[in-house]
Each structure stands twice: as C-alpha cells, then as structure tokens.
Amino acid sequence: MGLVVGLPLHSSGEESDKSREARAFARWLADLTKLPVVMWDERFTTSLAQDAMIGAKLNRQKRKERVDRVAAQMILQVFLDAGCPAGGSDTVLTDPPASE
C-alpha cells in the first residue's frame, strides 16, 4: 500500500516551482502517513480530463467542479497500468538534479 502524488512538469520535462511544491507535499505526506509515496508525471492530465468530460457531455460548470478529481483518477490509472513501479516516474525522497 502506498500513495501516488502527481508531479507537475513543463511539457519539456523540466521542473517548475509547482514541481518543488509537489515534492515538498509528498515528503510531508510520507512523513505523516509512514507510507511509501511515489511521484508520477502528471503532464497533460488536465486537458485529457477536460476532453473526457466534454465527450461525456458535461457542461462547463460540472467540468470545472470535477476536473482535478478526474485528472487525479487518470494519474492513478496510468500508474496502475504501468505496473505500479516502486519509483513512480520519479522518487519522492530524492532531490532534483543539481542543474535545475
């Protein structure tokens, strides 16, 4: 059992301030729960969630209310489909490369 936290990256794969915030949150969550936490690349999940909800014919208000929840479900599903790799698409307890 463990937790998956989305890692927001630029489309180029580079990290941002939001990436660092997500890493800090994941560290806090790991310390709090004592569960393993993995980071998973969340690029494009918001737009994929929007597309899925448009396809489901949800109106703008309902899409706005649900977009983060649907994107989180997509992140988790992709993680599960990938076989739940222990390191995720990155590990929470390592710092980003020094070049960043």
Side-chain angles (χ1 to χ4, degrees), residues 9-16 41 43-44:
L9 300 169
H10 292 294
S11 58
S12 67
E14 292 182 29
E15 295 206 9
S16 65
D41 184 347
R43 282 180 284 183
F44 311 112

Side-chain angles (χ1 to χ4, degrees), residues 60-77:
R60 185 179 306 252
Q61 181 60 37
K62 289 198 185 288
R63 290 194 311 264
K64 183 177 178 181
E65 292 169 1
R66 299 175 186 181
V67 68
D68 290 335
R69 182 175 29 191
V70 172
Q73 291 169 339
M74 290 180 157
I75 292 166
L76 181 56
Q77 187 62 58

Side-chain angles (χ1 to χ4, degrees), residues 1-3 26 29-38 92:
M1 185 157 128
L3 303 166
L29 196 57
D31 289 343
L32 179 71
T33 65
K34 306 301 184 220
L35 292 171
V37 176
V38 296
V92 65

Side-chain angles (χ1 to χ4, degrees), residues 5-10 14-27 39 42:
V5 173
L7 180 61
L9 300 169
H10 292 294
E14 292 182 29
E15 295 206 9
S16 65
D17 289 339
K18 289 292 182 191
S19 304
R20 289 179 278 285
E21 288 175 20
R23 285 183 184 282
F25 172 73
R27 282 186 195 99
M39 304 296 295
E42 68 173 40

